[in-house]
Amino acid sequence: MAPPPPAAAEPNKDHLGIILQRLMALHPKAIDLSLERIRALLAKLGDPHLALPPVFHVAGSKGKGSTTAFLRAMAEVAGYRVHAYTSPHLVRFNERIRLAGRLIDDEKLIALLEHCERINAGQPITFFEITTAAAYLAFAEIPADLVLLETGLGGVADTTNVIPQPRLTAITPIGIDHVAFLGDTIAKIAAAKAGIIKPGVPCVVGPQPDEAMAVIAAQAAACRAPLIRHGREWTVRETADGMLWRQGEQDIRLPRPALLGEHQIVNAGTAVTCARNLAGFDIPPDAIAHGLRGVDWPARMQRLNKGPLVDILPPGTELWLDGAHNAMAGVALAETLKILPPKPTWLLAGMLNTKDAAGLLRPLAPLMRGARCISIPGEINSLSAEDLTAAARNVGLAAAPAENAQAAMRQIAETIRAEAASAPARVVITGSLYLAGRILAENS
């Protein structure tokens, strides 16, 4: 059958948007951690989550998205067909569901979501739960060799935690985040994340605070799950020409990953450890190396080289976009900026009101000449520009509110011209992956 003409695609986009809006109204809360509703819907759908290819399941406060992206790139270079489920999306919802290497298309996604909506029959269910059920249906229907599942929030009660026997699990670094849902201590948050550990299933563990490691070790012992821990069973370090990964008697010299920042060395090392411990899969060092260099993961220290926002800035000004949204990510972003050539740097920030604004901004403040703060367009849980400005000022940033990204960029551009004259400058946009998605759409 011949494909529809281009004009037919636009109504599908409108149709998809309408469906997604309907699904958001099926539960009074955006987040309500429980496995009861998703299990009930999956049972009505024929339990597609029990018919998946081998599953890799990852949780953590920081780095799980990058780790998943690295592992996907490595496995695909090795010739495997890979499904992947990640969140949130940046520009299009379709980004959350990748089928055998390709983003799910609108027609397939619409059909799956409408089917789940019919079967659910109006019962209370969160948006994340019903859309995850649609992903399971797609993964069960389309042939693949491997499924990569990234938790949405936490682990033990996360909607992705219905797979009884994944092939491998991983826990990336844990920090204080989502305290309203997971608890206000590292130990409580670690207990939620460690809930993805399954009986007898090996678990790769990234660098952890002692309190988190104690909780993870206790959960693994209770499940008799082998742990493959950073600093114990495996290590990674940066070298003059790349990175050196080691586990036991295995040493693999690898190139630097394509994603910028020292923290990405650790994320890459975690992914290498996963690749080398994924039972039944052969991902050789050359595939790992090519995957590290070829990974594509937007809004992780992404340089924006063209577009309307870039055009506002004085010629030669660097514009960077990063999805950092918690204190750990703020530290990592600050360390990354320190390795770039020194330039006068300004910040454009937008954050959700569920996040610790001061925690993110505090490590960035000493590196910035000033900041402009905006609310995230279309996000009901966005911090107001005024509240974020107050938080920025409290940590020592010379900050001011702006109406939107373009207005903020114009103000920064004026300041650069006035203060830096012809000297090269840098602008960093950060605070939320939701903001990053709006920026990518606006700058396209």
Side-chain angles (χ1 to χ4, degrees), residues 115-139:
H115 179 62
C116 289
E117 187 180 24
R118 284 194 300 271
I119 297 300
N120 185 64
Q123 292 299 305
I125 193 164
T126 70
F127 178 80
F128 190 69
E129 289 165 349
I130 195 166
T131 54
T132 304
Y136 290 141
L137 278 175
F139 295 158

Side-chain angles (χ1 to χ4, degrees), residues 168-172 202-206 226-229 234 270 273-274 277:
L168 183 72
T169 63
I171 301 176
T172 62
C203 179
V204 172
V205 185
L227 288 182
I228 308 164
R229 297 159 292 185
W234 71 273
T270 306
T273 309
C274 294
N277 289 275

Side-chain angles (χ1 to χ4, degrees), residues 135-271:
Y136 290 141
L137 278 175
F139 295 158
E141 179 181 334
I142 307 297
D145 303 301
L146 177 65
V147 177
L148 307 181
L149 284 183
E150 178 189 325
T151 57
L153 196 158
V156 64
D158 185 78
T159 303
T160 60
N161 200 31
V162 295
I163 308 300
Q165 199 73 7
R167 185 64 56 90
L168 183 72
T169 63
I171 301 176
T172 62
I174 290 172
I176 295 293
D177 201 13
H178 297 296
V179 295
F181 302 101
L182 305 181
D184 57 359
T185 68
I186 290 288
K188 290 176 182 176
I189 294 169
K193 309 283 187 182
I196 71 167
I197 296 175
K198 298 295 187 298
V201 176
C203 179
V204 172
V205 185
Q208 301 294 346
D210 290 343
E211 313 95 288
M213 194 64 247
V215 172
I216 293 168
Q219 177 67 14
C223 291
R224 296 184 179 180
L227 288 182
I228 308 164
R229 297 159 292 185
H230 175 267
R232 298 282 294 272
E233 286 75 26
W234 71 273
T235 60
V236 66
R237 64 177 177 85
E238 189 172 8
T239 63
D241 58 353
M243 53 184 269
L244 175 65
W245 174 88
R246 176 174 293 162
Q247 182 181 342
E249 299 301 315
Q250 295 184 75
D251 280 3
I252 305 179
R253 292 190 176 276
L254 295 161
R256 286 187 183 88
L259 303 182
L260 188 63
E262 184 179 345
H263 61 293
Q264 294 296 359
I265 298 289
V266 173
N267 293 337
T270 306

Side-chain angles (χ1 to χ4, degrees), residues 340-352:
L340 295 178
K343 292 182 178 181
T345 303
W346 281 261
L347 183 70
L348 194 166
M351 296 188 69
L352 297 180

